[in-house]
């Protein structure tokens, strides 16, 4: 059915009025989503904002979509219709069968057929998107696209206005990182702290999140709770949003009068906005939460001896999945034998193999070093099975000097495998003595002593779910990794 120019004109007038109403981000965007969907005679609309690290798309306004659809988790910016963020208008005729759709099963169960997505552009860069959903399969006209692009222009202005105070925090965090990277020239603290932290516990919380490389936004949204006639009478602004966990966090200092009040607001927020995942946390709750999501051992805010986290659990998992996809593609239709060298490889091997979509067998070797400067390698545990005629992938946690791998590859190739390649999670290229061919590399790392996710220092730290850099004081005078 053709939509008239008149209805688009009136909708744009309404949308501009709402944009200038001074309402909070969520109310404004919900109202725009509703006007846009109605004008286009569509069944749903979603307005998404790109997270500060450009990894996630955060829903800031919706209309006509069920909770189930909204709760399918934060959208991965690289997987969910990435062309839109490249500035393109994307049309999906059938969401259930189009492999560009990140959650096709959910779309199917929600009866969504067609999707039109346009970028929200701020200074020529995508800062978000608008998506329109229809139950009936639909062809979108040029007028439809041009209307939605105009709505996106209005959203760009709203986003930029809402992001203004966030920019100050990004500057602060960049400064903080620079300061950590060059401790010799510290930036005065007064210029680093955002003035917007309302309480010192929030500052502590932000530091802890930074330590564990967990992306955060400070007070990014206000949720309307109560209206008196047309006037907004009460709002609630949670302290933090953690995009990786799609979680809002309100901190509590445990003062009973505040706690009761905060609990009431949270109850109300959940009733009015059931799609919002929000938690009230005191310090010990927070540490338990970190443990649940794999950050840091329970009962300790920071791991003793670890100077800083190099790769968080989530970053490692994302990289492992990417490596597994590449390996699965490269060996498609073949069987693959994975060989690991004990013990450092255990975490990586366990995670990697679970994401391989191939028939896989597994074997392990153990080695010991002896001689001056550990330059001689001896195999103390050899393979259980023959590798002759097999496609073999050596899996390593870290390649440092390359001596170990060089020796093992020589040993294995003498048994005539069909192919022999290497996948290492970490490549400390700066310390390489022997050139070894690396087929798949997770991360190239600096020349620092790293621990965690299988890697040890004197037998400890292997159980950390992240990779951290050991405090230089701890290893003073010892030979490097
Ligand atoms: C690590 C790692 C590699 C080796 C790489 O093992 O698992 O096998 O070092 O170093 P290279 O490139 O300098 O030869 P480590 O000796 O620490 O034993 P582990 O696996 O039991 O921790």
């Amino acid at each position: 059915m053709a939509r008239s120019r008149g209805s688009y004109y009136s909708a744009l007038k309404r949308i501009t009025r709402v944009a200038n109403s001074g309402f909070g981000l969520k109310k404004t965007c919900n109202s725009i989503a509703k006007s846009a969907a109605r004008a286009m005679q569509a069944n749903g609309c979603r307005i998404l904002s790109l997270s500060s690290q450009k990894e996630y798309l955060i829903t800031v306004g919706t209309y006509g979509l069920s909770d189930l659809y909204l709760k399918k988790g934060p959208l991965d910016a690289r997987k969910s219709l990435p062309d839109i963020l490249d500035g393109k208008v994307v049309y999906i005729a059938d969401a259930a069968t189009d492999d560009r759709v990140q959650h096709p099963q959910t779309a199917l169960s929600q009866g969504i057929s067609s999707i039109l997505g346009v970028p929200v552009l701020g200074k020529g860069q995508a800062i978000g998107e608008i998506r329109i959903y229809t139950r009936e399969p639909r062809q979108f006209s040029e007028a439809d696209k041009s209307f939605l692009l105009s709505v996106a222009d209005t959203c760009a202005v709203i986003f930029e206005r809402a992001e203004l105070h966030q920019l100050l925090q990004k500057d602060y965090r960049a400064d903080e990182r620079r300061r950590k990277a060059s401790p010799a020239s510290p930036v005065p603290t007064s210029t680093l702290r955002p003035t917007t932290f309302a309480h010192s516990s929030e500052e502590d919380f932000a530091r802890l999140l930074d330590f564990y490389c967990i992306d955060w936004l400070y007070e990014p949204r206000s949720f309307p709770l109560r209206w008196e006639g047309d006037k907004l009478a009460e709002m609630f602004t949670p302290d933090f949003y953690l995009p990786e966990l799609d979680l809002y966090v309100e901190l509590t200092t445990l003062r009973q009068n505040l706690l009761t009040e905060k609990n009431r607001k949270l109850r109300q927020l959940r009733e009015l906005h059931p799609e919002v995942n929000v938690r009230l946390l005191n310090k010990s709750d927070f540490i338990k939460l970190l443990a649940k999501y794999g950050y840091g051992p329970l009962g300790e805010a920071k791991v003793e001896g670890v100077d800083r986290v190099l790769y968080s659990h989530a970053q490692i998992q994302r990289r492992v999945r990417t490596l597994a996809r590449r390996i699965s593609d490269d060996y498609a239709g073949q069987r693959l034998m994975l060989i690991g060298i004990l013990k450092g490889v255990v975490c990586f091997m366990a995670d990697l193999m679970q994401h391989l979509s191939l028939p896989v067998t597994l074997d392990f070797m153990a080695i010991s070093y002896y001689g001056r400067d550990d330059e001689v390698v001896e195999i103390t545990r050899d393979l259980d099975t023959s590798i002759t005629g097999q496609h073999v992938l050596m899996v390593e946690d870290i390649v440092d000097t390359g001596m170990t791998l060089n020796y093992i590859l020589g040993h294995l190739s003498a048994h005539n495998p069909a192919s022999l390649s290497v996948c290492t999670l970490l490549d400390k290229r700066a310390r390489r003595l022997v050139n070894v061919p690396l087929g798949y590399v997770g991360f190239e790392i600096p020349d620092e002593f790293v621990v965690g996710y299988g890697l040890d220092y004197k037998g400890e730290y292997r159980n950390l779910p992240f990779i951290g850099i050991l405090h230089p004081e701890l290893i003073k005078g010892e030979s490097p990794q």
Side-chain angles (χ1 to χ4, degrees), residues 410-436:
H411 173 80
L412 293 181
S413 47
H415 290 82
N416 299 319
S419 69
L420 180 58
S421 187
V422 178
C423 173
T424 182
L425 179 65
L426 306 177
D427 177 7
K428 206 192 270 185
R429 201 163 296 176
R431 288 191 13 98
R432 196 74 90 254
L433 294 178
V434 188
N435 256 334
V436 277

Side-chain angles (χ1 to χ4, degrees), residues 230-410:
D230 270 359
K231 246 183 91 200
L232 184 59
E234 189 176 30
M235 306 246 284
F236 180 54
T237 309
D239 297 323
F240 288 89
Y241 178 63
L242 316 183
E244 213 166 62
L245 310 179
D246 188 24
L247 177 70
Y248 285 88
V249 171
E250 174 66 12
L251 293 182
T252 159
T253 50
L254 278 186
R255 286 223 306 271
Q256 198 51 48
N257 55 339
L258 286 182
L259 195 60
T260 316
E261 179 62 7
K262 282 184 178 178
N263 270 320
R264 177 190 66 78
K265 286 190 171 185
L266 246 77
R267 261 198 313 278
Q268 233 171 320
L269 174 63
R270 288 188 183 116
E271 272 166 29
L272 291 168
H273 307 273
E275 77 282 4
V276 172
N277 187 17
V278 58
R279 293 269 297 268
L280 186 64
L281 294 184
N282 61 32
K283 193 173 174 203
S284 72
D285 287 340
F286 170 59
I287 289 164
K288 281 184 206 147
L289 181 85
L290 287 180
K292 180 176 162 199
Y293 287 101
Y295 305 98
L298 189 62
E300 280 191 57
K302 287 186 184 179
V303 181
E304 206 180 320
V306 173
D307 193 34
R308 65 187 171 97
V309 174
L310 186 60
Y311 295 109
S312 72
H313 181 68
Q315 286 170 322
I316 297 170
Q317 294 304 317
R318 273 201 293 276
R319 192 68 193 132
V320 170
R321 282 199 294 274
T322 306
L323 288 174
R325 260 199 307 277
R326 276 189 50 208
I327 294 166
S328 301
D329 286 349
D330 292 354
Y331 289 88
Q334 327 251 29
R335 300 180 75 79
L336 186 61
M337 185 170 181
L338 302 178
I339 297 180
I341 304 174
L342 294 170
K343 302 171 188 168
V345 79
V346 285
C347 295
F348 180 42
M349 179 73 108
D351 285 341
L352 183 75
M353 68 183 188
Q354 291 177 61
H355 294 291
L356 291 174
S357 50
L358 298 165
V360 155
T361 57
L362 211 59
D363 212 335
F364 290 96
M365 299 175 79
I367 52 169
S368 74
Y369 306 90
Y370 63 91
R372 196 162 44 87
D373 292 333
D374 291 346
E375 83 275 36
V376 186
V377 182
E378 185 191 29
I379 295 173
T380 54
R381 186 204 187 278
D382 211 338
L383 300 173
D384 291 332
T385 45
S386 162
I387 60 163
T388 306
Q390 306 251 28
H391 292 288
V392 173
L393 183 65
M394 279 292 313
V395 183
E396 267 285 29
D397 49 329
I398 185 167
V399 179
D400 191 342
T401 62
M403 306 273 273
T404 310
L405 203 54
N406 186 51
Y407 178 81
I408 299 284
L409 288 177

